[in-house]
Amino acid sequence: MTTLALNRIKKSFGNLDIIRGVDLAIGSGEFVVFVGPSGCGKSTLLRMIAGLEPISGGELSIGGERMNERAASERGIAMVFQSYALYPHMSVYKNMSFGLETAKMPKPEIDKRVRKAADILQITHLLERKPKQLSGGQRQRVAIGRAIVRDPKIFLFDEPLSNLDAELRVQTRVEIAKLHRDIGATMIYVTHDQVEAMTLADRIVVLRAGVIEQHGTPLEIYNRPANRFVAGFIGSPKMNFLDVVASDVRDGGVAIDIAGKRARLPIEGHVAEGAKLSLGLRPEHIGTEGTGGLELGALTVVHVEHLGGQTIVYGRLVDGQSLTVALDGQRAISAGSTLAVRIAAENCHLFDEAGDRIGH
Amino acid sequence: MSISGTTERPVAGGRLRFGDGWAGYGFLAPWLVGFFLLTLGPAIASFYLSLTDYSGLGAANWVGAENYVRIATDDPRFWTAMNVTFTFVLLSVPLKLIFALAVAVALNRGLAGLSFFRAIFYLPSLVGGSVAVAVLWRQVFAGDGLLNQALNALFGFEGPSWISNPSTSLYTLILLAVWQFGSSMIIFLAGLRQIPQDMYEAASIDGAGKARQFFRITLPLLTPVIFFNAVILTIDAFKAFTSAFVISDGTGGPIDSTLFYTLYLYQEAFTNFRFGYASALAWVLVLIIAFFTAMSFLTARFWVHYDD
């Protein structure tokens, strides 16, 4: 069942178009992550759904009802802000009950809801404290608690983990995922961190310059990025792109020359003979052992990062193009040495000159 | 520690040699001279004089606490001045706070020409305390003044002379004081800007309308600024002098209805040449102001919210 539907949603400030026609349907209980670089409009889109930012065009509906003109408090949403936006002069309890008191809910019902939310988030012992007496992680929980008590149709999270340190971020990420499983609510989550996007989302929406570049499950996006932008944005270390030229186009395949060797890759659609293409290779798919696949030739190692579980190698191919390789485990590789690298054909991504995927 | 060229810092508990820091005191000298000669010195001198019968000329004879005893037991004009001053403080301070806050909130809405209106509203605070404006005020509220001319023209109403009527004269001075709301307004504006916007966004998602946002978010978060303004305005109001002096021609009249405390003190000193007694009055005022300020700070923890 569709909970939220965006239909040709637009936002402009004067002549500047921030959101340029977004269509999206989000199902009940789905966890959707908006991801994209700074300025892509993901926060603006979230704020438009929340009712904090007027919608310039298109239609927003929640639960089948048009919401464009409805006040934020009437949309059945709750929002967790990046800064938490806790009321500093109110206790944790009051922070959570403020909205319910405003709605003139009976006191016993308010108390029941606040205590239940506090129980879920394990902050019952903090209820009488003021926000300034809490740690960053605890404030984060209170902000989530304030959303839970409203019992919203949709939870909106605006980069909620960006003010936490690395360790706490991972821990809170796990808790948000667990919370989603436990209460089964629809959640929309904005982040610029692709790891958060991959780990939390049922579905990722990749935005750039106010347009949806691609949406799909995390693995769909990882395995079949729709274009160079998405391919480069999702995955860490970033995907390598090598310049290649299409030749011998026939039978749904194309030949490319790489490191002095010719290889054939299957493609969908048509490519002109001699077209400039990008060959996308994920660092973790490139290996040093085995046979078959694409031989990329000798890699001259420029720099090595030993992460313990992984060894990241930065180097240059024979034709001078840079290539990053992520190898499993610990390898005795040092700068200045050379490695023979290769990749399986099914892990190659081909993009045309416009950046669109043409690979298999 | 010397100023020139060394990066060494004095260690806690380390010994400072005599002569260290002379350069520092040199730079402080203008302030130190001013403080000792123009502030602390006269303060001590006035306390000494308050225990004498000094008349401005001749010897100051020691009379002990006699001046203070007389203030407390045998001076009806002291009580009149107290009455006038407290009425002035208790009315002008809250009115000024409310007015300044209301204008600040209106200006903070982000209307066009904010800096223009901010300057216009601040103007009375620059000129309002001056003699010239007090003179102008007298013209406005006199029997044939601007106010009555306007009332007459608009409603055919023959107004009284507001400043020569003992039951209204003080209120014209309160009005003059409230009109000078500008500096409090500027401080309120700065305070309003400090309140994070997302606090209001969270409140609007929580369903709070503008009024509820103002009373439950803005006012509580503004309490440190309200407190600061209240203390400053209270101290200023107790010390108010110029407007009453100019408008009543230094008499505090009609029939002592504008006899501010400081005006009475001035009369005792410079009209009646009782410098000893005036000094005692000054010290009583110091105690009153100190008491009110202390009370403000003591009650502050019950209503002033400090973030972090």
Side-chain angles (χ1 to χ4, degrees):
Chain A
M1 197 191 93
T2 301
T3 299
L4 174 93
L6 303 178
N7 192 359
R8 309 302 306 157
I9 286 285
K10 288 195 178 82
K11 175 74 192 176
S12 338
F13 293 105
N15 289 331
L16 192 63
D17 296 330
I18 304 295
I19 301 291
R20 299 184 295 173
V22 165
D23 288 305
L24 189 68
I26 294 177
S28 176
E30 209 178 354
F31 197 126
V32 175
V33 175
F34 292 172
V35 69
S38 299
C40 71
K42 56 192 189 295
S43 279
T44 306
L45 189 58
L46 190 79
R47 291 166 56 81
M48 288 160 77
I49 296 169
L52 299 173
E53 206 73 71
I55 297 167
S56 312
E59 189 177 70
L60 163 74
S61 59
I62 295 176
E65 239 183 298
R66 182 183 160 93
M67 287 288 166
N68 289 40
E69 292 79 19
R70 298 279 277 277
S73 59
E74 296 168 2
R75 295 187 180 192
I77 54 99
M79 182 147 162
V80 176
F81 290 83
Q82 183 175 7
S83 63
Y84 318 136
L86 299 178
Y87 309 124
H89 54 297
M90 297 184 197
S91 66
V92 167
Y93 188 101
K94 281 280 171 194
N95 262 283
M96 287 161 69
S97 68
F98 181 73
L100 306 180
E101 282 169 20
T102 307
K104 300 210 163 51
M105 184 181 281
K107 276 251 177 334
E109 173 67 16
I110 293 178
D111 193 63
K112 205 177 97 192
R113 286 200 186 192
V114 170
R115 295 199 180 276
K116 189 175 160 210
D119 190 45
I120 292 172
L121 297 164
Q122 297 169 335
I123 52 171
T124 306
H125 62 296
L126 304 175
L127 283 176
E128 296 314 315
R129 300 222 191 139
K130 294 273 175 66
K132 68 178 165 192
Q133 298 164 295
L134 305 179
S135 68
Q138 290 169 333
R139 289 180 202 194
Q140 177 65 73
R141 283 156 185 268
V142 177
I144 294 173
R146 187 166 66 179
I148 291 177
V149 294
R150 292 177 56 77
D151 193 18
K153 288 199 202 79
I154 306 174
F155 283 79
L156 307 175
F157 293 90
D158 188 7
E159 307 214 20
L161 305 186
S162 55
N163 287 339
L164 301 178
D165 62 45
E167 193 187 341
L168 205 51
R169 198 176 305 167
V170 174
Q171 194 185 325
T172 312
R173 198 172 76 201
V174 172
E175 283 175 18
I176 290 177
K178 183 173 178 300
L179 180 74
H180 177 243
R181 271 201 310 278
D182 290 348
I183 64 179
T186 310
M187 295 187 175
I188 304 176
Y189 187 107
V190 163
T191 181
H192 60 266
D193 182 331
Q194 48 107 2
V195 178
E196 275 174 37
M198 293 295 285
T199 52
L200 286 171
D202 294 326
R203 190 148 55 111
I204 292 179
V205 175
V206 184
L207 287 149
R208 178 170 62 158
V211 175
I212 294 181
E213 292 285 336
Q214 186 177 6
H215 62 90
T217 66
L219 290 184
E220 274 168 20
I221 293 203
Y222 179 86
N223 291 333
R224 291 183 58 83
N227 53 47
R228 254 190 80 150
F229 172 77
V230 175
F233 194 79
I234 298 290
S236 176
K238 218 166 121 54
M239 186 185 272
N240 296 290
F241 295 105
L242 301 180
D243 296 331
V244 292
V245 176
S247 58
D248 196 15
V249 184
R250 62 181 161 82
D251 308 334
V254 62
I256 53 169
D257 292 313
I258 192 150
K261 292 194 176 159
R262 176 154 290 209
R264 279 198 78 75
L265 289 172
I267 56 165
E268 285 162 2
H270 180 75
V271 177
E273 196 76 25
K276 288 178 183 156
L277 304 180
S278 267
L279 176 65
L281 310 171
R282 293 205 182 274
E284 58 272 30
H285 291 151
I286 301 172
T288 53
E289 287 115 25
T291 50
L294 256 67
E295 285 179 31
L296 302 172
L299 179 75
T300 307
V301 178
V302 176
H303 180 65
V304 185
E305 290 173 349
H306 298 282
L307 304 182
Q310 244 189 350
T311 306
I312 314 284
V313 180
Y314 301 89
R316 284 188 192 288
L317 291 173
V318 180
D319 61 0
Q321 300 202 65
S322 7
L323 188 79
T324 305
V325 180
L327 300 169
D328 280 339
Q330 302 176 5
R331 308 290 181 100
I333 298 170
S334 55
S337 60
T338 54
L339 289 175
V341 287
R342 61 174 64 246
I343 187 165
E346 70 263 29
N347 287 329
C348 292
H349 305 266
L350 268 181
F351 303 99
D352 65 17
E353 221 171 348
D356 291 327
R357 178 184 194 86
I358 52 167
H360 58 285
Chain B
M1 184 182 74
S2 80
I3 295 275
S4 57
T6 168
T7 56
E8 237 174 85
R9 299 170 65 159
V11 182
R15 279 227 313 256
L16 285 172
R17 278 166 298 122
F18 180 76
D20 282 357
W22 275 111
Y25 289 117
F27 282 111
L28 280 174
W31 183 84
L32 288 173
V33 169
F35 178 72
F36 284 108
L37 281 177
L38 302 176
T39 305
L40 191 61
I44 292 170
S46 85
F47 184 67
Y48 169 73
L49 289 177
S50 78
L51 303 170
T52 69
D53 66 354
Y54 187 55
S55 66
L57 290 167
N61 300 308
W62 183 265
V63 295
E66 194 187 298
N67 287 330
Y68 292 96
V69 172
R70 206 187 118 206
I71 289 171
T73 59
D74 189 25
D75 185 358
R77 286 195 90 207
F78 165 78
W79 294 107
T80 307
M82 287 286 274
N83 191 14
V84 168
T85 304
F86 272 92
T87 308
F88 179 77
V89 170
L90 293 178
L91 285 176
S92 72
V93 172
L95 282 174
K96 210 164 163 175
L97 280 175
I98 291 168
F99 205 62
L101 181 57
V103 175
V105 168
L107 287 184
N108 199 38
R109 287 277 158 81
L111 77 171
L114 168 65
S115 52
F116 172 74
F117 286 109
R118 198 170 50 198
I120 290 291
F121 288 130
Y122 187 63
L123 210 54
S125 297
L126 292 177
V127 300
S130 70
V131 173
V133 167
V135 171
L136 176 73
W137 211 250
R138 194 164 63 181
Q139 300 304 323
V140 171
F141 288 97
D144 54 356
L146 272 176
L147 177 65
N148 282 342
Q149 287 178 23
L151 286 175
N152 198 4
L154 288 173
F155 308 109
F157 175 69
E158 286 289 338
S161 170
W162 305 92
I163 54 165
S164 54
N165 181 341
S167 59
T168 53
S169 53
L170 179 58
Y171 298 98
T172 63
L173 294 183
I174 290 171
L175 200 62
L176 176 59
V178 173
W179 184 53
Q180 298 159 42
F181 63 91
S183 52
S184 312
M185 177 203 72
I186 297 286
I187 296 170
F188 275 135
L189 257 177
L192 289 169
R193 295 280 170 84
Q194 291 291 312
I195 301 176
Q197 196 54 36
D198 55 15
M199 218 63 81
Y200 293 107
E201 294 181 343
S204 76
I205 288 178
D206 271 340
K210 287 279 176 241
R212 189 165 163 84
Q213 285 180 21
F214 179 77
F215 287 107
R216 296 298 302 273
I217 309 287
T218 308
L219 267 191
L221 294 185
L222 215 52
T223 46
V225 182
I226 296 173
F227 175 66
F228 173 82
N229 272 336
V231 169
I232 296 293
L233 290 181
T234 305
I235 293 172
D236 275 355
F238 272 119
K239 298 192 311 185
F241 174 79
T242 313
S243 57
F245 180 81
V246 172
I247 287 173
S248 71
D249 274 332
T251 64
I255 48 172
D256 285 352
S257 61
T258 61
L259 187 67
F260 282 8
Y261 194 96
T262 49
L263 188 53
Y264 177 49
L265 190 160
Y266 172 87
Q267 288 178 0
E268 284 296 297
F270 297 101
T271 312
N272 303 330
F273 298 106
R274 288 195 280 258
F275 283 92
Y277 191 66
S279 298
L281 285 172
W283 277 92
V284 170
L285 181 61
V286 168
L287 291 179
I288 292 170
I289 291 177
F291 175 77
F292 272 85
T293 308
M295 289 307 291
S296 311
F297 276 91
L298 285 176
T299 58
R301 63 195 194 95
F302 298 110
W303 66 276
V304 178
H305 161 77
Y306 288 104
D307 188 23
D308 297 320

